[in-house]
Amino acid sequence: MRSKWMLFVKKRNNKGMSLVEVIIAITILGLVAVPVLHSLTTAMVYNQKARNRQEMTLTAESIMETFKGYGLDELKERFTSGGAGIEGVNIQSVTPGHSGYSFSTVPKLIGTETADEYTFLINDMEADNGQLYNVTITATPNSVEKIFEMENTETTRDAIFQGDRDYDKNAVREMKDDFRSYMTQLEGAFEDHAVVKINDAVTSVQGNIDKLFDESTPGVYVGNYLHLYERTLTFEIAVDGDDYKVTPKMTYSYFLKDYPYYVKEEEESRSDAYHEGGGTDHPSGNTEESIGTSKSLDRFPVDGSFLEYEVDLTSAYSDGYIYKNKQEAGLNRLMVYYYPQYNLEAGHDKIVVKNAAGITDFQCYILKQRAADINDSTTKIKENSYQGDVYIDNSASGFEVFHNFDDNIADGSSTTAPSISGTYDKAYSYTKLVSGTTTPELVAKYEEAEVLSYKIELKVEQNGREITKLESTMNEKIKD
């Protein structure tokens, strides 16, 4: 006979999941897992493509710099079938007759002259990742320019800075872009009740400072009131281990001037306010608001200093240096070929040379170049008042400066005397003696050369898809 206590024993539930429940769980898991796995796979593919693009961009930069180191005659030899090609580039001959190097030309009219446009091809270039790419380098003739250059330059002992006219043409645009970083400080320079008119609407400056940076509203766009003051080119000659290195730096100073705005009166004085363009008081109960008192932000920053932005020169030179070589090679000269910046307000082009390496008997050549996109009459006028300031920071003996500041490079008759200061031994002009003793040999060191400027475009493609693209410029001396 069962004990009555057996009636109170709880029966365990050993029943498992039903088939329906298992199917539902698997279905839910699949719905969640599929998009997650897809996202992970997509991310892996994207990251791989990004890594490939980054690697090929670095490779393209190396090819571009090597390419620009050759003259066109040598490039044609190197890109002829069986030629040496670009140093450091490996070719995998996959398709006979279609792999390797080749080039073609198309005549182009430059002014009244005809010059060839070159297309250089590298087919089936093998990258470090083992994949094959095609490289197309197009050299398009851009303009003919006259420049002054040194005879017998030697890259092993000469540091050479070849200015790029694009830096100067883009200076105003870059200044406007840089000024956006001062948006918060600019807002703080206005009064609390400062307003501007945007499309006939009165808009408070506070809380709407971003609207002052809208180029579609010319009347209030701050970029129209920015002014370049000065450009400084600095070249530091330093010792880096066993090497000499020369680092370039370009800095622009600028400011905001005469920016128009209004200050609205306080609420309690609104009855005395004036209509815009009118002279009558607001009648009692009139809800129309006065635009306020006309003012201008005469100078920003408000402390009277200048704003600065630095042009990136590092991308144009390997490791950011215009020269790096063993000290035993003997760095003897710095040659600065630059285009004058004519649209400066009150300031000057400044060129600073720092001989931190203490090299004795050093020579510095500073030559302004003729910009092809500025006509002769304008250049003559600009050259009449153009002044270049040079400062030599040097403690070693025998430092000499050579320049063409006294030459109107548009064949004009007058120029402005240069300012050369700092510690140096002698300064010589291309046309006449400034200080020290001149000799015919010193004047004969310069020659005027006519060069053809090329725009260079380099594209890397794989299976017809563009991986990366670079642009640059190069000059080719025109042969007599």
Side-chain angles (χ1 to χ4, degrees), residues 157-225:
R157 66 185 186 94
D158 296 332
I160 303 172
F161 173 79
Q162 180 62 62
D164 190 335
R165 174 65 180 146
D166 288 340
Y167 292 143
D168 310 303
K169 291 190 291 186
N170 295 333
V172 173
R173 178 183 57 78
E174 292 190 13
M175 169 186 64
K176 293 177 181 179
D177 291 342
D178 182 77
F179 191 60
R180 290 182 177 276
S181 63
Y182 295 98
M183 189 180 294
T184 302
Q185 294 93 318
L186 178 65
E187 185 175 31
F190 288 98
E191 293 91 335
D192 291 339
H193 299 285
V195 297
V196 292
K197 282 197 70 177
I198 302 178
N199 299 326
D200 295 327
V202 178
T203 303
S204 174
V205 172
Q206 305 298 328
N208 297 289
I209 192 68
D210 58 310
K211 295 182 179 180
L212 275 58
F213 290 81
D214 184 358
E215 296 185 47
S216 64
T217 54
V220 298
Y221 174 48
V222 294
N224 293 335
Y225 301 89

Side-chain angles (χ1 to χ4, degrees), residues 35-53 131:
V36 171
L37 290 174
H38 180 267
S39 298
L40 291 174
T41 304
T42 302
M44 290 174 63
V45 172
Y46 177 81
N47 289 336
Q48 183 60 46
K49 289 182 178 179
R51 281 195 296 271
N52 288 342
R53 186 178 296 110
Q131 299 186 44

Side-chain angles (χ1 to χ4, degrees), residues 81-94:
S81 179
I86 295 290
E87 292 181 5
V89 174
N90 296 321
I91 301 297
Q92 180 65 259
S93 297
V94 176

Side-chain angles (χ1 to χ4, degrees), residues 68-114:
K68 291 166 58 178
Y70 301 118
L72 282 175
D73 287 341
E74 185 176 2
L75 284 169
K76 287 187 287 187
E77 292 180 4
R78 286 178 169 271
F79 276 78
T80 300
S81 179
I86 295 290
E87 292 181 5
V89 174
N90 296 321
I91 301 297
Q92 180 65 259
S93 297
V94 176
T95 307
H98 295 279
S99 300
Y101 295 90
S102 62
F103 77 93
S104 60
T105 60
V106 177
K108 295 286 183 180
L109 191 65
I110 304 298
T112 59
E113 302 292 332
T114 301

